[in-house]
Amino acid sequence: MRIITIALLLITTIVSAQTMQKKSDSLGVALDEVVIIAAKKKQLETEMKMAVTVDEFLASSNNISFIKRGAYAWEPLLNNMSTERSTVTIDGMHIFGACTDKMDPVTSYVESNNLSEIDIKSGQEGSLHGATVAGSINLKRKSTAFTFEENYKGAYQTGFEFNNNQFFNLANASYSNKKLVVDASIAHRKANNYKDGNNDEIKHSQFEKLNASIGIAYKTSELSSLKVDAIFDKAKDVGFPALPMDLSLSRALITSVAYKQFFDKGTLKVWDTKVYFNAVEHYMDDTTRPENLVHMDMPGWSTTYGLVSKINLKKNDFSSEIQLNIYDNLSIAEMRMYPQDRSERTMFAYSWPWVTTRYAGLSTSNLLEISEISQFNFGGSLGLNYNYSKYAEFNWIFHPGAPQEKTRLLPSLHAGYTLQINKYNFSIGTGYGHRAPSVSEGYGYYIYNSFDRYDYIGNPDLKNEISYEVNASAGIKIEKGSLQAKVNYFYIKNYIIGRILSLGSPMNYQSVGVKGYTSLDNASLFNFSLDASYNLLDNLHWKGTLTYARGLDDHKNNLPFIRPLSYQTSLHFSYRNFGFLTSLNGDFTQANYSPEYGEDETLSYKNWNISADYTFYIKDYKTVFQVGAENIFNEYYSTYADWGNIPRMGRNVFTSLKINF
């Protein structure tokens, strides 16, 4: 009730403020023009596959990799760093998962048909949305522009994937006129267990997901608008073959109200303010695992409400964005153990003991056009992070006298220079920033990690992680192709990771010991990527990518989940209404693995994929049919990022039909 009351008060304040806004009749179409420009965004699909999931789309980025515990809800790693070190938002809104095992990343609560693009910022350039080390991933929802006349648009897509019998339906529609815009989408996916390259069924890899969204924008004046958005997501019967339990139910409600004001004169161009509220519930249990000697339920809840307010400034060759971020989050997770008779509960504990996180930060990103061939960008943020644990007695068991509440200052700075000389481009940049420990790192209590089979304990007294980074790029672009190299290096002080504790005994019967989150003196990460493209003919295009990463702790031991040398190459051919694509991707052997953190060597693998599409019209409706196959040779393999060496999917033939209207 307290959250709803605050949200209503904030909404009322915004609505009242917009009615007092002075009207302008000097630029009657300014709002339409600006919104139309912003709406021209690429579709969320890849050349290989039209009906990609959000995870599959993100995987096409050079600096994103994934930890996979099954076929659903992959954990995105930005610059080979776990989600604690990155900021993931939806239209700038902070959302926090409710699963201690990280089985509900923010990316799992949206669908490809309600997003227009995904904005990925590396390192401290991503600090605009809050404190970070690895960078930021901002999932941007589709937003239709106001139109002079009534306009209806939409699309429907259906398809089937044969390996796991996945059937999906995606639909979205929009209506617009001079004063009103309505965007809506719905998506449903259902899949059975998949089969690996040996044609063996991977049990507990099924999933079912329903996602729906709506956005309503109203033009309150010639230069202002009010918008209400909502996303509802529900997943059920989701199996995780790499874990000892599965997801019975997950639900998320994500809502926001935004007011946007444009200005036709002066340095201030746009002021955009949004209040938001989201709630996530996540229920893990092992009722489908009769082999477990002791049964366990692990429900979790996360509630967040916040404010994002930003202004855009421009004067001559200087432009700037200033953003205020405020949010309040409550994270609760329980652990309940039962014998074979579930009517008799033997143990209860809070694995997240009602942890409140409050954050307020002011950030800026600036661009100065030095000349026609050079730019200088710089910015930073200053945030205040507050944590409070309601049931601190769980933390005091391992850390007697640890404070029940803690406040941290989180500064950030970044700067970069880019130069374009004819067909050559160069850039160099640097950054410095802090991040606070996550809820699990600071306050987690006996969180079981099935990868290394240890129970993990948080430490409220952990220091801030402090990141120093440098980055550079160089490239060439000619008429028929391009070549681009990028590199970054992170030196992180007080690097947070789990180490074996001498006290305490494991609570989970599958555990081999207890680890506590602690701070290493330092750690370093290096990332490199090389992209190339070439137009062999007008309708024959080649692309290639090579990536490499290395991570070391303060004793020069390997860090876990660092991607080995990997590659991807593709060839795309188009003829009239037909399109054909073939690609090859793979990893080399992971030689630099980390036994200390539960890793073993993973062998090299290669995947050959192929797809074909045909575009035609049903009356005036553009229709595209696609058929393809992934892992054509049905190779059996697992990668460095597959939790517990769970094998990947074998050969998968897929089909898809999309109609635009």
Side-chain angles (χ1 to χ4, degrees), residues 93 114 141 183 185 211-216 228-232 253-256:
M93 298 182 293
N114 58 28
R141 291 197 56 211
D183 289 298
S185 72
N211 182 278
S213 72
I214 188 168
I216 302 173
V228 179
D229 281 295
I231 298 174
F232 174 75
L253 178 64
I254 302 165
T255 62
S256 66

mmCIF file of all heavy atoms in Angstrom, residues 93 114 141 183 185 211-216 228-232 253-256:
data_model
loop_
_atom_site.group_PDB
_atom_site.id
_atom_site.type_symbol
_atom_site.label_atom_id
_atom_site.label_comp_id
_atom_site.label_asym_id
_atom_site.label_seq_id
_atom_site.Cartn_x
_atom_site.Cartn_y
_atom_site.Cartn_z
ATOM 1 N N MET A 93 14.931 1.905 -16.467
ATOM 2 C CA MET A 93 14.349 1.501 -15.180
ATOM 3 C C MET A 93 15.155 0.357 -14.570
ATOM 4 O O MET A 93 15.478 -0.619 -15.251
ATOM 5 C CB MET A 93 12.895 1.056 -15.360
ATOM 6 C CG MET A 93 11.968 2.125 -15.875
ATOM 7 S SD MET A 93 10.253 1.543 -16.007
ATOM 8 C CE MET A 93 10.392 0.326 -17.325
ATOM 9 N N ASN A 114 8.687 -6.831 -28.270
ATOM 10 C CA ASN A 114 8.328 -5.555 -27.642
ATOM 11 C C ASN A 114 9.540 -4.654 -27.410
ATOM 12 O O ASN A 114 9.458 -3.650 -26.707
ATOM 13 C CB ASN A 114 7.549 -5.752 -26.329
ATOM 14 C CG ASN A 114 8.277 -6.563 -25.284
ATOM 15 O OD1 ASN A 114 9.503 -6.591 -25.247
ATOM 16 N ND2 ASN A 114 7.531 -7.232 -24.425
ATOM 17 N N ARG A 141 12.237 -0.296 -25.300
ATOM 18 C CA ARG A 141 10.956 -0.767 -25.813
ATOM 19 C C ARG A 141 10.578 -0.035 -27.091
ATOM 20 O O ARG A 141 11.000 1.086 -27.349
ATOM 21 C CB ARG A 141 9.859 -0.565 -24.768
ATOM 22 C CG ARG A 141 10.001 -1.474 -23.556
ATOM 23 C CD ARG A 141 8.698 -1.530 -22.784
ATOM 24 N NE ARG A 141 7.618 -1.951 -23.645
ATOM 25 C CZ ARG A 141 6.352 -1.548 -23.497
ATOM 26 N NH1 ARG A 141 6.036 -0.702 -22.539
ATOM 27 N NH2 ARG A 141 5.417 -1.981 -24.317
ATOM 28 N N ASP A 183 0.706 1.134 -28.277
ATOM 29 C CA ASP A 183 1.541 0.007 -28.684
ATOM 30 C C ASP A 183 1.210 -1.182 -27.799
ATOM 31 O O ASP A 183 1.124 -1.042 -26.571
ATOM 32 C CB ASP A 183 3.034 0.334 -28.525
ATOM 33 C CG ASP A 183 3.518 1.335 -29.547
ATOM 34 O OD1 ASP A 183 3.463 1.021 -30.745
ATOM 35 O OD2 ASP A 183 3.962 2.428 -29.140
ATOM 36 N N SER A 185 1.816 -5.703 -27.407
ATOM 37 C CA SER A 185 2.470 -6.921 -27.886
ATOM 38 C C SER A 185 2.120 -8.079 -26.981
ATOM 39 O O SER A 185 1.772 -7.899 -25.801
ATOM 40 C CB SER A 185 3.990 -6.744 -27.936
ATOM 41 O OG SER A 185 4.541 -6.714 -26.631
ATOM 42 N N ASN A 211 4.457 -13.402 -22.355
ATOM 43 C CA ASN A 211 4.860 -12.009 -22.141
ATOM 44 C C ASN A 211 3.886 -11.096 -22.861
ATOM 45 O O ASN A 211 3.531 -11.341 -24.024
ATOM 46 C CB ASN A 211 6.281 -11.783 -22.661
ATOM 47 C CG ASN A 211 6.780 -10.367 -22.418
ATOM 48 O OD1 ASN A 211 6.476 -9.446 -23.169
ATOM 49 N ND2 ASN A 211 7.550 -10.190 -21.355
ATOM 50 N N ALA A 212 3.422 -10.068 -22.182
ATOM 51 C CA ALA A 212 2.495 -9.103 -22.787
ATOM 52 C C ALA A 212 2.888 -7.701 -22.357
ATOM 53 O O ALA A 212 3.375 -7.491 -21.238
ATOM 54 C CB ALA A 212 1.057 -9.396 -22.372
ATOM 55 N N SER A 213 2.690 -6.734 -23.242
ATOM 56 C CA SER A 213 3.033 -5.352 -22.909
ATOM 57 C C SER A 213 2.060 -4.400 -23.578
ATOM 58 O O SER A 213 1.444 -4.722 -24.606
ATOM 59 C CB SER A 213 4.466 -5.021 -23.348
ATOM 60 O OG SER A 213 4.539 -4.921 -24.761
ATOM 61 N N ILE A 214 1.931 -3.222 -22.981
ATOM 62 C CA ILE A 214 1.122 -2.161 -23.567
ATOM 63 C C ILE A 214 1.744 -0.817 -23.224
ATOM 64 O O ILE A 214 2.301 -0.640 -22.133
ATOM 65 C CB ILE A 214 -0.348 -2.235 -23.083
ATOM 66 C CG1 ILE A 214 -1.210 -1.238 -23.866
ATOM 67 C CG2 ILE A 214 -0.442 -2.000 -21.582
ATOM 68 C CD1 ILE A 214 -2.688 -1.437 -23.682
ATOM 69 N N GLY A 215 1.689 0.102 -24.178
ATOM 70 C CA GLY A 215 2.157 1.466 -23.954
ATOM 71 C C GLY A 215 1.167 2.444 -24.572
ATOM 72 O O GLY A 215 0.758 2.278 -25.726
ATOM 73 N N ILE A 216 0.769 3.433 -23.794
ATOM 74 C CA ILE A 216 -0.193 4.441 -24.265
ATOM 75 C C ILE A 216 0.421 5.816 -24.079
ATOM 76 O O ILE A 216 0.790 6.195 -22.961
ATOM 77 C CB ILE A 216 -1.525 4.357 -23.499
ATOM 78 C CG1 ILE A 216 -2.127 2.949 -23.649
ATOM 79 C CG2 ILE A 216 -2.502 5.403 -23.997
ATOM 80 C CD1 ILE A 216 -3.354 2.724 -22.786
ATOM 81 N N VAL A 228 2.152 5.998 -20.493
ATOM 82 C CA VAL A 228 2.005 4.946 -19.492
ATOM 83 C C VAL A 228 2.415 3.625 -20.135
ATOM 84 O O VAL A 228 1.963 3.304 -21.241
ATOM 85 C CB VAL A 228 0.562 4.857 -18.972
ATOM 86 C CG1 VAL A 228 0.437 3.736 -17.943
ATOM 87 C CG2 VAL A 228 0.124 6.181 -18.375
ATOM 88 N N ASP A 229 3.278 2.857 -19.464
ATOM 89 C CA ASP A 229 3.753 1.577 -19.983
ATOM 90 C C ASP A 229 3.566 0.486 -18.948
ATOM 91 O O ASP A 229 3.666 0.736 -17.735
ATOM 92 C CB ASP A 229 5.249 1.646 -20.331
ATOM 93 C CG ASP A 229 5.505 2.334 -21.655
ATOM 94 O OD1 ASP A 229 5.082 1.799 -22.692
ATOM 95 O OD2 ASP A 229 6.129 3.403 -21.644
ATOM 96 N N ALA A 230 3.333 -0.737 -19.425
ATOM 97 C CA ALA A 230 3.252 -1.885 -18.529
ATOM 98 C C ALA A 230 3.712 -3.141 -19.265
ATOM 99 O O ALA A 230 3.425 -3.319 -20.452
ATOM 100 C CB ALA A 230 1.834 -2.075 -18.008
ATOM 101 N N ILE A 231 4.446 -3.983 -18.554
ATOM 102 C CA ILE A 231 4.869 -5.293 -19.062
ATOM 103 C C ILE A 231 4.472 -6.338 -18.027
ATOM 104 O O ILE A 231 4.698 -6.166 -16.824
ATOM 105 C CB ILE A 231 6.393 -5.361 -19.279
ATOM 106 C CG1 ILE A 231 6.853 -4.341 -20.315
ATOM 107 C CG2 ILE A 231 6.815 -6.761 -19.720
ATOM 108 C CD1 ILE A 231 8.372 -4.264 -20.455
ATOM 109 N N PHE A 232 3.865 -7.418 -18.519
ATOM 110 C CA PHE A 232 3.577 -8.560 -17.645
ATOM 111 C C PHE A 232 4.267 -9.778 -18.225
ATOM 112 O O PHE A 232 4.162 -10.060 -19.426
ATOM 113 C CB PHE A 232 2.074 -8.816 -17.537
ATOM 114 C CG PHE A 232 1.743 -10.075 -16.770
ATOM 115 C CD1 PHE A 232 1.862 -10.099 -15.387
ATOM 116 C CD2 PHE A 232 1.334 -11.225 -17.424
ATOM 117 C CE1 PHE A 232 1.585 -11.260 -14.671
ATOM 118 C CE2 PHE A 232 1.047 -12.390 -16.718
ATOM 119 C CZ PHE A 232 1.165 -12.401 -15.339
ATOM 120 N N LEU A 253 5.716 -7.835 -12.962
ATOM 121 C CA LEU A 253 4.905 -6.708 -13.415
ATOM 122 C C LEU A 253 5.793 -5.478 -13.410
ATOM 123 O O LEU A 253 6.347 -5.106 -12.377
ATOM 124 C CB LEU A 253 3.698 -6.493 -12.499
ATOM 125 C CG LEU A 253 2.799 -5.297 -12.849
ATOM 126 C CD1 LEU A 253 2.143 -5.490 -14.219
ATOM 127 C CD2 LEU A 253 1.734 -5.085 -11.778
ATOM 128 N N ILE A 254 5.943 -4.855 -14.583
ATOM 129 C CA ILE A 254 6.839 -3.713 -14.755
ATOM 130 C C ILE A 254 6.022 -2.553 -15.294
ATOM 131 O O ILE A 254 5.468 -2.641 -16.399
ATOM 132 C CB ILE A 254 7.987 -4.073 -15.722
ATOM 133 C CG1 ILE A 254 8.760 -5.294 -15.199
ATOM 134 C CG2 ILE A 254 8.928 -2.892 -15.914
ATOM 135 C CD1 ILE A 254 9.650 -5.943 -16.233
ATOM 136 N N THR A 255 5.912 -1.464 -14.533
ATOM 137 C CA THR A 255 5.049 -0.348 -14.921
ATOM 138 C C THR A 255 5.801 0.977 -14.825
ATOM 139 O O THR A 255 6.753 1.116 -14.051
ATOM 140 C CB THR A 255 3.805 -0.272 -14.023
ATOM 141 O OG1 THR A 255 4.221 -0.026 -12.662
ATOM 142 C CG2 THR A 255 3.021 -1.569 -14.072
ATOM 143 N N SER A 256 5.346 1.950 -15.604
ATOM 144 C CA SER A 256 5.958 3.286 -15.546
ATOM 145 C C SER A 256 4.998 4.328 -16.090
ATOM 146 O O SER A 256 4.101 4.027 -16.889
ATOM 147 C CB SER A 256 7.268 3.323 -16.355
ATOM 148 O OG SER A 256 7.008 3.147 -17.732
#
